[in-house]
Amino acid sequence: LVVQFEADTERRKLGLPHRVNFLGRSSLEPEYTQTEEVELHRQRHTDCATAIFQLHENIRDKLRPISLAITHTIKPVPPRRHSAKRAQKLPPVLNISPSNMLHSEVNFLREGCGSDKICQSNLKLSYQFGTIPLNSDFTPLPKDDDGVQVFSLSNQRLVVLEVTITNMPSDSLNPEEDGDDAHASQLFITLPNTLPYAGSRVPPQMICQANQNGSKVECDLGNPVKRNAKLKFTINLSTSNITTETTELTADLQLATISEQLDLDPVTAFAKVVIELPLSVSGLARPHQLFFSGTVKGESAMTSLEDIGSPVDLEIVVSNPGKALQTLGSAFLNVMWPNELANGKWLLYPASLKFEGQPETRCSPARAVNPLKLQSSSAADQVVGRSRRSHPEEEDQVMTKGSDGRIIPAVAASERRKSLKLDCLLGSARCVLFQCPLHSFTGQAVLKIHARLWKSSFIEDFPTVSALELLIRANITVKSSIKHLVLRDSSVQIPVMIYPELGPADQYWIPWWIILIAILAGILLLTLLVCILWKCGFFRRAHYKDKLPQYHAVKIPRELRPQFQTEKSGSVHKKEWATHWSDGTL
């Protein structure tokens, strides 16, 4: 008889690799089979054939048994010579019952599967998207009002998917129901083309492998995942394929194990995508403190820029460390320029405006820059500009007229304070909006504005104000068809402090209220000192009789007198009075 041993038959039918190899097989046989011959010389004669196999190293499936199929057949006998002349013996045949194939199983020792030896795991999965900055740990993405994570695409090359897998009992009061070891546990990750696999950071017992285009990832979680185990690892995903049309990040996660668990449903990791333009704006004023003094001059009397007042130069810097903007939309730098007070008088006169390094950029409205066509005193004669405002020199005070013809000052007498804020948003100033297109650029674009403080307006309207804060605002706006386009740090405020330039008399003049407070404080201190001295008896006068020694006499009753008690005894008689001296101190 020919006896053939074959292992893992059912497993190989499913396309899975075999787990054993026979040690006594011939070189022509595969690892999972071995053939032996057995001779039976007579009826009811028994003989044994032995086959030894061993397990492969690092096999994953240690839970399902190893199936064995043992098949026996009669070895065919080759025909002999001259067989036709002799009577041939009939060859033996096998009985059709029972079958010539015997099935058996070899079970593993199931540790960690409870008393019933049935492994019922409870694998649970959670996730969150995030980033890992340089020299830093995992940082989760922020969430919106709906609790959905938001990924801001600017210059990040990677987004990180942090996955946490646990194998805990579902019921702490009855831990034997589930939570057993999860054998041959795996995590399958399916990724879109916009988010390919770019690496992983996993514990030592885990291995993650991806296909060629990075769309599918298979992670071996360990064999087994023990009871009460917790695995946390990160999957790096590339953002190089994300375009302006990408609105979300998705990744399909599927857990698998050969232990018994029915609720291993797929999970889809989700996050919103917003395209963050890396544009930022900053600004400063040189100098940041301005002073006004002198005499009032009308608008028609201004012959040069120096006649207006103190100069100030503003620099507004727009930075773009990322890609050019031509594919995202049109960006504009907007400057809210406070050129007038609330009553219409000049405030900050714009003399010139230009972009450094981009001479082709023109800001609008161009007519609002140096509308009086004034030049520096060292330049040529003044060019006659548009009709100037009525600002007569002969008036001691320059006022504006309301609709009813009354004269209205810039600041009412009841509203004059020691410090004021001039801001277009507060209504204390009027602004003209300069809008400058930002063409495709990387690096920095600098807008330089040269201006003059109109000192006549401040001398007239703010004579009692000790300090004013002038705010110049700038921001960036983008016109684009992309709905999920956002800007960060796209606005700036540039403060300029304005002070009156004090004369010699003003520098040493003390306000009357300070003198009044000093007098009242002195009177209060003197009153307090007098009260303390009076409480201590400093003002109590001594009487004349208290200064002289006093004589005190005490009359002794007759029955207590010594001479009355010693008359019969003939003793010496004493005075009837007992005295003592006192100097008035007691």
Side-chain angles (χ1 to χ4, degrees):
L1 295 178
V2 177
V3 181
Q4 184 182 37
F5 300 88
E6 186 176 357
D8 271 340
T9 53
E10 300 298 330
R11 183 179 177 86
R12 287 186 292 106
K13 289 179 182 179
L14 299 175
L16 299 176
H18 58 278
R19 295 170 288 179
V20 300
N21 64 296
F22 286 91
L23 299 181
R25 73 184 188 280
S26 65
S27 59
L28 300 178
E29 292 179 307
E31 287 186 343
Y32 51 84
T33 61
Q34 181 175 338
T35 304
E36 298 289 338
E37 292 185 1
V38 177
E39 292 185 3
L40 300 178
H41 299 283
R42 58 184 178 274
Q43 289 287 343
R44 298 182 180 179
H45 179 263
T46 59
D47 197 0
C48 294
T50 304
I52 300 176
F53 64 83
Q54 67 179 8
L55 293 174
H56 289 170
E57 294 183 358
N58 301 323
I59 62 172
R60 293 186 49 77
D61 190 354
K62 298 180 181 179
L63 187 62
R64 286 177 287 200
I66 300 173
S67 62
L68 290 175
I70 306 172
T71 307
H72 61 278
T73 59
I74 297 177
K75 183 179 179 181
V77 179
R80 298 179 181 180
R81 296 179 180 180
H82 311 290
S83 58
K85 298 180 180 180
R86 298 181 181 179
Q88 296 182 358
K89 295 183 179 180
L90 294 176
V93 294
L94 290 176
N95 191 358
I96 60 174
S97 180
S99 173
N100 67 331
M101 181 178 292
L102 176 65
H103 294 278
S104 181
E105 289 182 347
V106 177
N107 291 289
F108 290 92
L109 181 62
R110 299 182 179 181
E111 297 178 352
C113 293
S115 57
D116 56 358
K117 299 303 178 181
I118 299 176
C119 287
Q120 296 175 322
S121 61
N122 187 35
L123 294 176
K124 297 297 180 181
L125 182 146
S126 61
Y127 71 92
Q128 59 178 344
F129 285 99
T131 58
I132 301 180
L134 293 176
N135 302 323
S136 181
D137 296 330
F138 175 83
T139 303
L141 295 181
K143 296 182 179 180
D144 60 6
D145 297 336
D146 298 329
V148 180
Q149 289 188 298
V150 178
F151 175 66
S152 299
L153 179 63
S154 55
N155 56 354
Q156 299 98 328
R157 296 183 178 180
L158 294 176
V159 62
V160 179
L161 177 62
E162 184 185 66
V163 181
T164 303
I165 297 175
T166 59
N167 187 22
M168 307 287 184
S170 59
D171 187 2
S172 59
L173 300 178
N174 192 9
E176 297 297 328
E177 285 189 358
D178 53 14
D180 297 332
D181 293 354
H183 290 265
S185 53
Q186 292 178 297
L187 174 64
F188 299 97
I189 305 175
T190 304
L191 300 171
N193 296 330
T194 56
L195 208 64
Y197 174 78
S200 62
R201 186 179 297 178
V202 298
Q205 71 271 22
M206 285 186 57
I207 297 176
C208 288
Q209 295 178 343
N211 59 355
Q212 187 174 1
N213 60 2
S215 61
K216 294 185 180 298
V217 184
E218 180 179 339
C219 293
D220 293 334
L221 305 179
N223 193 23
V225 177
K226 295 288 187 179
R227 173 186 287 268
N228 297 324
K230 181 178 181 180
L231 299 176
K232 181 179 288 188
F233 54 95
T234 56
I235 305 296
N236 298 333
L237 307 174
S238 175
T239 60
S240 59
N241 294 338
I242 293 181
T243 64
T244 56
E245 299 178 356
T246 305
T247 60
E248 61 185 26
L249 302 178
T250 58
D252 296 330
L253 310 176
Q254 177 65 64
L255 282 172
T257 179
I258 60 175
S259 297
E260 292 189 5
Q261 185 173 349
L262 301 178
D263 58 347
L264 290 177
D265 298 326
V267 177
T268 299
F270 177 82
K272 293 181 180 178
V273 175
V274 294
I275 299 178
E276 179 182 349
L277 291 181
L279 294 178
S280 62
V281 59
S282 60
L284 56 89
R286 295 192 182 95
H288 65 280
Q289 293 180 346
L290 300 179
F291 298 89
F292 63 90
S293 64
T295 60
V296 177
K297 281 189 177 183
E299 184 176 296
S300 59
M302 301 295 178
T303 59
S304 64
L305 293 175
E306 286 77 9
D307 294 337
I308 297 177
S310 302
V312 59
D313 292 309
L314 286 94
E315 288 188 2
I316 301 175
V317 181
V318 180
S319 301
N320 180 22
K323 300 179 181 179
L325 299 176
Q326 70 271 16
T327 59
L328 301 178
S330 302
F332 295 88
L333 173 62
N334 307 304
V335 181
M336 296 180 63
W337 186 261
N339 64 331
E340 293 180 351
L341 293 173
N343 58 7
K345 294 183 182 179
W346 281 111
L347 173 57
L348 197 62
Y349 184 81
S352 63
L353 186 149
K354 63 179 180 179
F355 257 104
E356 189 178 68
Q358 292 188 347
E360 70 279 0
T361 301
R362 296 289 183 267
C363 299
S364 60
R367 63 179 183 276
V369 180
N370 196 10
L372 302 181
K373 306 301 181 183
L374 298 177
Q375 298 180 1
S376 178
S377 59
S378 59
D381 294 338
Q382 175 183 350
V383 180
V384 179
R386 64 172 176 86
S387 60
R388 301 182 179 178
R389 313 179 193 195
S390 58
H391 204 325
E393 300 176 46
E394 63 272 11
E395 294 181 357
D396 295 335
Q397 277 194 332
V398 179
M399 300 290 181
T400 59
K401 293 185 178 181
S403 59
D404 55 355
R406 294 180 301 170
I407 296 177
I408 304 173
V411 180
S414 60
E415 297 179 355
R416 296 194 179 185
R417 298 175 293 180
K418 290 304 175 183
S419 61
L420 290 175
K421 179 179 288 188
L422 300 177
D423 189 359
C424 295
L425 296 184
L426 298 178
S428 56
R430 297 179 184 176
C431 281
V432 59
L433 179 62
F434 289 113
Q435 193 170 56
C436 309
L438 298 174
H439 300 290
S440 178
F441 77 98
T442 56
Q444 290 185 345
V446 182
L447 175 64
K448 291 189 175 182
I449 305 176
H450 178 71
R452 293 275 178 167
L453 182 70
W454 201 281
K455 64 179 181 180
S456 298
S457 301
F458 288 86
I459 294 173
E460 292 172 342
D461 294 347
F462 307 104
T464 61
V465 177
S466 60
L468 297 101
E469 183 182 12
L470 176 62
L471 288 182
I472 304 169
R473 301 175 183 270
N475 59 28
I476 301 174
T477 57
V478 175
K479 296 180 180 179
S480 176
S481 60
I482 303 173
K483 302 300 182 182
H484 55 289
L485 194 66
V486 296
L487 283 171
R488 308 287 185 191
D489 301 328
S490 59
S491 63
V492 66
Q493 297 181 8
I494 306 174
V496 178
M497 298 304 299
I498 303 173
Y499 303 97
E501 191 171 356
L502 301 178
D506 296 333
Q507 295 179 5
Y508 300 100
W509 177 76
I510 301 176
W512 63 268
W513 57 271
I514 295 181
I515 299 175
L516 179 60
I517 292 177
I519 293 174
L520 294 178
I523 294 174
L524 180 62
L525 181 62
L526 181 60
T527 304
L528 182 62
L529 181 62
V530 170
C531 291
I532 293 174
L533 293 176
W534 179 73
K535 287 292 185 180
C536 295
F538 180 78
F539 300 104
R540 185 180 301 170
R541 299 181 62 184
H543 298 284
Y544 177 76
K545 63 179 182 179
D546 295 336
K547 297 180 180 180
L548 298 178
Q550 297 182 5
Y551 174 77
H552 297 277
V554 178
K555 185 176 181 179
I556 302 175
R558 182 180 179 85
E559 60 273 10
L560 299 178
R561 295 175 184 174
Q563 62 272 22
F564 179 78
Q565 296 178 357
T566 58
E567 285 180 355
K568 297 181 181 181
S569 60
S571 59
V572 181
H573 296 278
K574 295 183 179 179
K575 295 182 180 181
E576 297 182 2
W577 301 89
T579 62
H580 69 276
W581 291 93
S582 173
D583 57 359
T585 59
L586 298 178

